[in-house]
Structure formats: C-alpha cells, structure tokens
Amino acid sequence: MLKRSSASFRAFWPIALLATAGLGMLAALAGFGGRAFAEEPGRRLPDAAVTLKEKSGLRTAVFAGGCFWGVQGVFQHVRGVTEALSGYAGGSRDTASYQAVGSGRTGHAEAVRITYDPSLIRYDELLTIFFSVALDPTQVNRQGPDSGTQYRSAIFVSDAEQARVARAYVAQLNVAQAYAKPIATKVECGAFYPAEAYHQDFMARNPRHSYIVANDAPKLRDLQRYFPERTNAEPILVGAQPPA
Ligand code: MHO
C-alpha cells in the first residue's frame, strides 16, 4: 500500500509541474495581450489647475517613468517638443551609466529630458501627458516588468516654479482620486546625464522589439488616442550621435 501510494505520488509530480507551468504561461499571455503588468490604463487626465507662466525661449523638463525607452518614445511625438533625450537623474556623474544604474544602488532613475517650446506647450501640459499616458504613477520602485529604485517615477525639477506646479498637480490628481491608489511619483532635484547612444531613439528604431510591443507601444497609442491635437505623426529623433 505504502509502495503504491509513493509510486502514484512520483507519477503525479510531473503532471503537477506541467499544470503549474501551463497556468503561468496562460497568465503571462493574458498580461501581454494588453498592457503588461501595468495596473492603470491610459486616459486623459484633467488639465492642471496650477499652470506655469512660461518665459520665452526653449525650456526643459525632466521626467522619470520607468524604462526610458517608452517615456522618450512618447514625448518624441508630442507637438512643441524639440528634443527628448534618455538619461539618468538623481545620482552622480561618475555612476551615470546603464550598467551602474542597473544595480539600483546609484540613486539614479532612468529619466528623459524634454526640451520644449513654451509658446506651443506648457510645463503643466507636459505633466498632464506624462501622467495620462506615459506611466502608472501608483507603482512604487517599479514600472511594468522592471523593478528597482532606478525605475521609480519622479519629476526632476529645475527651479521652485516647476516644483510648485508639479506638487500642485500631484495633489490635484490625488484629491480627485484619479487613480485607485495614491500617486508614488516624487518631486526631486538632481542633475541629468544623457544615456548611451544605443539607448537613444530605441523605441523608434526597434518598434517590433518584444519589450517595446508589450510595454511602450500602448503608451504611444494612448497619446494618439487621448491627445490627438498634441500628437505629431513623426518622432523628433535624437539622431545617431547624441550629445555626450
Ligand atoms: N527590462 C528591460 C529594461 C530596459 S530599460 C531601458 C531590459 O533589461 O531590457 O531599462
């Protein structure tokens, strides 16, 4: 009797393993059919109540929303943006490399520096697009399939005015309960360092890359869907030789 039950136990294990693997694969397929891992779908959020009175001349904004490929890919299609550069913010110059930042211990977040013409789009309007389609701001130290402090979401402000407008918008969205959970995105200060050339224009150059298809293409579709009047058909690319 004992012998028989241990034999059936042994026979059962491979079946149990196969069933578990099968279920896991089904769950993964279901996730990748839509926006993989993200809990918050894209939408058009309300305009900011506190807006930024822009000065003339080109301005910059730095946003961190997980892997920079998708954030750059979205903002390269936003009208009024003259450059969207992938890089690292929140840490020091000497460790601002993909390999070092990937350890999650340098303090950097993957970030995108957006240069824009304030006569065409304001800082607070960039914020609205960022929160609406470029990330799930409720995720803590992760974004989609990527986890670690380097994938936290943050707004890196360059002056007190940007900080005031960014904090007000986060508060506005929280009060309006725009998301099911509180916003984890922090307002931070810190220099921006451009990423390596092979990371620039990654989404535009690799539209069929499985990561882009699963995680980033939906963000661009959301931009086109919810902000058609702000979308350019063609991306503004950094080009083959980004500034060092
Ligand atoms: N998990 C992705 C993240 C890329 S993003 C530029 C990868 O390792 O390819 O961090």
Side-chain angles (χ1 to χ4, degrees):
M1 186 64 199
L2 192 72
K3 234 179 164 171
R4 257 186 62 196
S5 85
S6 72
S8 62
F9 180 76
R10 273 200 302 276
F12 170 76
W13 261 112
I15 295 166
L17 274 177
L18 273 176
T20 313
L23 278 177
M25 268 161 66
L26 272 180
L29 279 175
F32 279 102
R35 182 185 285 239
F37 299 95
E39 289 154 17
E40 291 286 348
R43 82 286 304 276
R44 183 167 184 142
L45 290 165
D47 295 344
V50 177
T51 62
L52 186 61
K53 273 224 161 17
E54 296 278 10
K55 303 164 192 83
S56 59
L58 293 182
R59 316 282 299 160
T60 58
V62 176
F63 298 154
C67 174
F68 43 35
W69 293 341
V71 179
Q72 179 186 48
V74 165
F75 282 99
Q76 287 185 324
H77 280 271
V78 173
R79 199 162 291 171
V81 169
T82 61
E83 184 189 63
L85 189 63
S86 285
Y88 312 100
S92 62
R93 180 183 299 276
D94 53 319
T95 53
S97 69
Y98 189 66
Q99 207 193 347
V101 171
S103 72
R105 291 193 296 268
T106 65
H108 298 90
E110 290 195 15
V112 173
R113 186 185 71 196
I114 298 155
T115 307
Y116 62 99
D117 179 349
S119 70
L120 298 174
I121 192 163
R122 290 190 314 265
Y123 183 70
D124 55 276
E125 292 170 325
L126 293 170
L127 281 172
T128 301
I129 291 174
F130 177 59
F131 282 106
S132 294
V133 305
L135 82 163
D136 174 354
T138 68
Q139 297 190 12
V140 180
N141 286 330
R142 80 170 300 125
Q143 201 58 225
D146 304 314
S147 62
T149 58
Q150 71 274 33
Y151 295 112
R152 71 185 181 276
S153 68
I155 302 161
F156 286 88
V157 296
S158 56
D159 58 29
E161 272 297 278
Q162 283 192 350
R164 188 174 69 88
V165 171
R167 287 206 181 92
Y169 193 53
V170 170
Q172 178 186 337
L173 296 180
N174 274 329
V175 168
Q177 298 191 330
Y179 303 95
K181 288 191 272 179
I183 293 176
T185 312
K186 295 283 181 298
V187 174
E188 299 187 31
C189 292
F192 174 88
Y193 304 101
E196 298 80 355
Y198 70 93
H199 279 301
Q200 305 298 342
D201 305 329
F202 194 90
M203 182 166 170
R205 288 189 289 106
N206 303 282
R208 277 177 286 279
H209 189 292
S210 60
Y211 182 99
I212 297 291
V213 170
N215 301 290
D216 297 330
K219 299 177 183 181
L220 185 53
R221 282 200 296 273
D222 285 342
L223 175 75
Q224 290 157 340
R225 176 173 172 199
Y226 297 113
F227 295 89
E229 81 287 6
R230 296 218 173 267
T231 306
N232 278 332
E234 293 304 319
I236 302 273
L237 299 181
V238 173
Q241 290 301 315

